[in-house]
Amino acid sequence: MMLPWSIDFAGRLDEHSFESEVLKSNPLGDPHVRPLWVYVPPGYDDDPDRRYPSIYLIQGLTGQLDMWRNRSAFRKNPPELMDELFASGEAPPAILVWVDCWTSLGGSQFIDSPGTGRYHTYLCDEVVPWADANYRTLAEAAHRGIAGKSSGGYGAMVTPMLRPDLFGGLATHAGDALFETCYLPDFRVSVRALRDGYDGSFERFWEDFRSRPPLSKRTDHVLLNDWCMAACYSTDEDGTVHVPYDTQTGKLKPEVWERWLAWDPVRMAARYDEALRSLKAIYIDAGNRDDVYLDLGAEAFRRALEEIGVTDVHYELFDGTHMGIEYRYAMGVKYLAERLTP
């Protein structure tokens, strides 16, 4: 029976505060001290000589670390699902590292940008070495994976491409991919919202957004998403953010849109073919009724992998939408734990 409150863990969830050097003076003025959770599986404290693969868990847009504890009706939350997975013996034991890359624009896409901050460097060059130094990880790429959903799924795809020396596996659940299907259709919605409510100005949108309960208007999410993605993908070194369309007409700006497409995992695959071929584990899934059509991005990414000779992939379209799929996370972690364990 599912109890309506938190369970007693079979493993252990350690909660830390991590002081980042690279996030100091970030352009948004967001905190540089971040919560960081580390889960160790049952038996970790019994054998001080045993080492474990590690899996990094990252969140979707607007995600902040404490939201992992959010619970849907009659369901366990992700930390509970992970603990159940390892307590049952269904997966080889692994250390889980839960990383916070929230920004006041909603997220960072887990990349370095003068519009948001150096979140790729924070994850790869600060958190990973810290986890290896403080926990008994198997500190090689072949035993380290990364997993996430939506924007977290995007980060799970691109991080191993950029740093195959650190990550040997990925699990992406409905990750942002094939940008013309997941981002571009909302541009027209954003332009109407800007025209009718903000005189075509994102600055006025943000003034309004921060003056009331956030996400209380129907078009808040598309406007937030467009600006946040532009801050990640198409910001100049001086901090100037460029959206890929005319805010009065919606006419596409090809030179800006190309900057976005350069960050599309479907298009990145050919450029990072060697890195992708080096991975030991690739897990891709999405709901076949995904609200943002990220099932199409999942299929496009799988085909892009196939084109570069990567065919040993777990791929699944399941019956579902973009929401309420937290039960899938344990499946991805199980796959990674199996593939990344020596």
Side-chain angles (χ1 to χ4, degrees):
M1 184 179 73
M2 174 61 201
L3 297 175
W5 45 79
S6 61
I7 64 169
D8 291 328
F9 273 44
R12 189 179 77 238
L13 187 64
D14 297 338
E15 300 187 26
H16 303 277
S17 290
F18 188 95
E19 184 171 359
S20 168
E21 290 298 319
V22 301
L23 294 184
K24 287 181 178 178
S25 303
N26 68 80
L28 298 174
D30 291 331
H32 72 281
V33 178
R34 295 297 175 104
L36 179 68
W37 296 351
V38 180
Y39 170 87
V40 297
Y44 178 86
D45 296 318
D46 299 333
D47 184 354
D49 296 322
R50 183 172 182 179
R51 293 189 170 271
Y52 300 82
S54 56
I55 301 169
Y56 288 69
L57 295 165
I58 54 179
Q59 291 170 301
L61 189 68
T62 71
Q64 58 189 61
L65 202 66
D66 60 343
M67 293 169 70
W68 283 113
R69 288 197 170 104
N70 291 354
R71 183 185 307 287
S72 299
F74 304 109
R75 292 185 176 186
K76 293 174 179 167
N77 62 34
E80 293 168 347
L81 290 169
M82 301 305 174
D83 186 63
E84 181 180 65
L85 172 70
F86 294 118
S88 69
E90 292 182 25
I95 292 170
L96 306 181
V97 185
W98 312 69
V99 185
D100 184 89
C101 289
W102 174 91
T103 76
S104 53
L105 296 181
S108 65
Q109 295 302 89
F110 310 93
I111 61 177
D112 288 349
S113 168
T116 54
R118 297 172 62 196
Y119 286 88
H120 174 74
T121 300
Y122 162 65
L123 168 63
C124 294
D125 294 338
E126 290 190 325
V127 175
V128 169
W130 179 90
D132 289 342
N134 287 276
Y135 288 86
R136 296 196 313 275
T137 64
L138 292 163
E140 298 88 26
H143 310 301
R144 189 184 294 116
I146 186 168
K149 175 223 174 181
S150 197
S151 281
Y154 173 84
M157 285 184 277
V158 302
T159 303
M161 289 196 232
L162 300 171
R163 292 299 301 271
D165 60 312
L166 289 182
F167 291 95
L170 70 89
T172 175
H173 308 281
D176 295 10
L178 199 64
F179 286 2
E180 61 265 47
T181 62
C182 69
Y183 293 148
L184 193 149
D186 280 341
F187 293 171
R188 58 193 180 185
V189 180
S190 296
V191 172
R192 279 184 176 174
L194 289 169
R195 178 196 65 192
D196 296 342
Y198 305 107
D199 294 327
S201 167
F202 266 103
E203 182 178 353
R204 291 190 179 185
F205 160 69
W206 282 108
E207 289 173 357
D208 177 53
F209 182 84
R210 290 175 173 138
S211 72
R212 55 178 169 80
L215 300 175
S216 57
K217 290 186 177 179
R218 182 179 58 84
T219 56
D220 277 356
H221 188 272
V222 291
L223 290 169
L224 179 151
N225 191 75
D226 285 5
W227 187 262
C228 182
M229 295 306 122
C232 295
Y233 302 143
S234 53
T235 296
D236 294 340
E237 288 302 318
D238 65 2
T240 303
V241 178
H242 299 276
V243 293
Y245 52 79
D246 185 294
T247 59
Q248 300 287 343
T249 67
K251 184 178 180 181
L252 207 61
K253 296 180 177 179
E255 69 282 1
V256 181
W257 181 234
E258 286 299 322
R259 293 175 69 176
W260 283 43
L261 293 180
W263 282 106
D264 182 354
V266 175
R267 292 165 169 86
M268 290 176 69
R271 302 201 310 274
Y272 293 93
D273 56 337
E274 185 175 344
L276 288 165
R277 284 195 292 266
S278 74
L279 301 185
K280 296 183 56 145
I282 299 178
Y283 177 106
I284 306 167
D285 74 9
N288 58 7
R289 294 177 285 116
D290 188 278
D291 312 71
V292 204
Y293 292 84
L294 290 168
D295 50 323
L296 303 184
E299 172 65 17
F301 185 57
R302 183 195 68 79
R303 294 190 180 202
L305 293 173
E306 188 175 61
E307 289 173 4
I308 61 172
V310 179
T311 57
D312 185 11
V313 173
H314 178 95
Y315 174 75
E316 183 180 355
L317 293 183
F318 56 89
D319 183 26
T321 64
H322 194 64
M323 306 306 291
I325 65 171
E326 77 288 337
Y327 70 96
R328 305 289 307 186
Y329 305 167
M331 299 180 185
V333 166
K334 179 177 184 291
Y335 183 83
L336 291 178
E338 290 171 343
R339 288 298 188 97
L340 301 176
T341 296

